[in-house]
Amino acid sequence: MSRTAYVNGRYVPHRDACVHVEDRGYQFADGVYEVCEIRGGRLVDERRHMQRLLRSLGELRIAMPMTLEAFGLVLRETVRRNRVRDGIVYVQMTRGVARRDHAFPPAGTRPGVVVTARNHDLAAAERVASEGIAVITVPENRWPRVDIKSVSLLPNVLAKQAARDQGAKEAWFVDADDTVIEGSSSNAWIITADRKVVTRPVSNAILRGITRTVLLEVLADHGLELDERAFTVSEAYAAREAFVTSASQIVMPVVCINDRPIGNGMPGLVSSDLRRDFHRFAEVG
Ligand code: PLP
């Protein structure tokens, strides 16, 4: 089946989906993005993803180019045209096309808008989750505003590749005090020996994951105690369970960190329960 992308007001065949060479996203990584899960053909947590998109745009002083209602229609139409049942919709908004100059372009320059959507192999994802993933740690080298979901992802790209090179699926950024910040494309969690669920508090140093936000409700429902604080790599080695969260992976058990098995080296029971129950708490529109 041929794919379709939405590019600056038009639905075009994916293979022809292009942006201008002077789009500021291309020139300066001057833009933001969102990734929203699609389940059963419906958007998961659209409201929260759109709120975060508006916040990211606001922090970079890029004007939202259309109403949320109109944009919601674009998202749904892109999902429909690509016949996505279970997958993701990807949104990118940039400061638009202008003659190359670091400073902002003239007022009235229209932001660039791209939307793509694709199916995921749910069975394959469940297989990965049933085995769990390996994680490595890398030194934090990103800018201090990673709370903005900017398309400027070079450190994340290099970290993810370092993980791949070492046979792992994710890299956790670690600060100078050896505390875990977050993954290259996920938030990081551990469950301690006394069954406390630990994750770093929200600040400019992490992306406030939508999955993270929803999971707090799941934890409460499961009667699990949340301890929002930084945790060290050594604590993670000694944890009963570990996992990562993101819209595309939901709750993904971590079974190994820097080649050391976590718990018994198998996906943890609590992590697996949280994964199973997540969608009961997510908003599906
Ligand atoms: N942290 C980073 C750096 C990410 O890139 C992502 C998702 O892409 C997340 C956390 C998790 O965010 P969400 O749960 O909204 O997908």
Side-chain angles (χ1 to χ4, degrees):
M1 194 205 83
S2 61
R3 292 179 64 197
T4 300
Y6 174 88
V7 184
N8 295 325
R10 295 193 315 139
Y11 295 94
V12 292
H14 196 267
R15 62 178 174 280
D16 302 327
C18 300
V19 294
H20 194 274
V21 289
E22 287 198 310
D23 185 283
R24 291 179 62 97
Y26 178 66
Q27 292 280 348
F28 298 114
D30 188 0
V32 302
Y33 74 108
E34 271 301 327
V35 178
C36 189
E37 188 198 3
I38 308 297
R39 211 172 160 86
R42 295 156 81 191
L43 281 94
V44 178
D45 282 314
E46 175 188 7
R47 183 183 60 83
R48 288 190 175 101
H49 282 282
M50 290 305 108
Q51 272 173 5
R52 187 172 65 184
L53 175 67
L54 291 180
R55 178 179 183 276
S56 296
L57 288 169
E59 291 295 312
L60 298 186
R61 294 157 60 196
I62 299 174
M64 175 71 180
M66 59 181 97
T67 63
L68 278 187
E69 290 70 29
F71 193 54
L73 296 178
V74 171
L75 295 178
R76 279 172 184 74
E77 184 62 9
T78 309
V79 168
R80 190 188 69 76
R81 287 187 187 225
N82 288 282
R83 297 199 198 128
V84 178
R85 225 194 114 62
D86 299 302
I88 55 156
V89 62
Y90 174 88
V91 171
Q92 182 164 319
M93 291 190 181
T94 71
R95 208 180 300 277
V97 176
R99 192 167 67 91
R100 192 175 187 283
D101 177 2
H102 286 63
F104 289 179
T109 303
R110 276 198 69 74
V113 183
V114 166
V115 182
T116 57
R118 65 183 161 89
N119 275 298
H120 276 175
D121 183 344
L122 270 197
E126 284 313 313
R127 271 198 302 280
V128 174
S130 70
E131 290 173 4
I133 62 164
V135 163
I136 62 162
T137 58
V138 294
E140 174 65 292
N141 59 354
R142 299 174 301 164
W143 77 321
R145 287 306 309 276
V146 298
D147 57 306
I148 302 169
K149 202 164 166 64
S150 127
V151 293
S152 173
L153 289 171
L154 197 47
N156 310 57
V157 167
L158 296 175
K160 187 75 91 184
Q161 187 57 38
R164 291 281 156 84
D165 291 345
Q166 294 177 48
K169 283 248 164 50
E170 179 59 301
W172 281 358
F173 289 111
V174 169
D175 69 11
D177 299 328
D178 218 30
T179 68
V180 173
I181 301 170
E182 65 174 339
S184 69
S185 61
S186 59
N187 290 118
W189 307 68
I190 58 169
I191 304 177
T192 58
D194 57 352
R195 279 177 65 90
K196 287 194 181 125
V197 183
V198 186
T199 197
R200 202 176 179 96
V202 168
S203 71
N204 290 349
I206 67 165
L207 182 75
R208 186 183 206 139
I210 304 301
T211 320
R212 179 192 184 284
T213 301
V214 174
L215 197 68
L216 300 185
E217 289 176 33
V218 190
L219 295 180
D221 181 76
H222 283 228
L224 290 161
E225 190 181 334
L226 172 70
D227 194 0
E228 263 185 303
R229 63 169 174 84
F231 61 87
T232 62
V233 176
S234 316
E235 268 187 280
Y237 291 152
R240 176 193 285 250
E241 299 186 23
F243 60 90
V244 296
T245 54
S246 74
S248 56
Q249 302 180 94
I250 315 303
V251 175
M252 181 56 73
V254 170
V255 292
C256 180
I257 302 172
N258 292 335
D259 286 332
R260 299 187 193 214
I262 304 307
N264 62 3
M266 307 272 286
L269 290 178
V270 175
S271 315
S272 302
D273 282 356
L274 295 173
R275 177 181 178 85
R276 188 197 57 220
D277 290 348
F278 179 85
H279 288 99
R280 282 207 287 118
F281 294 83
E283 290 175 7
V284 181

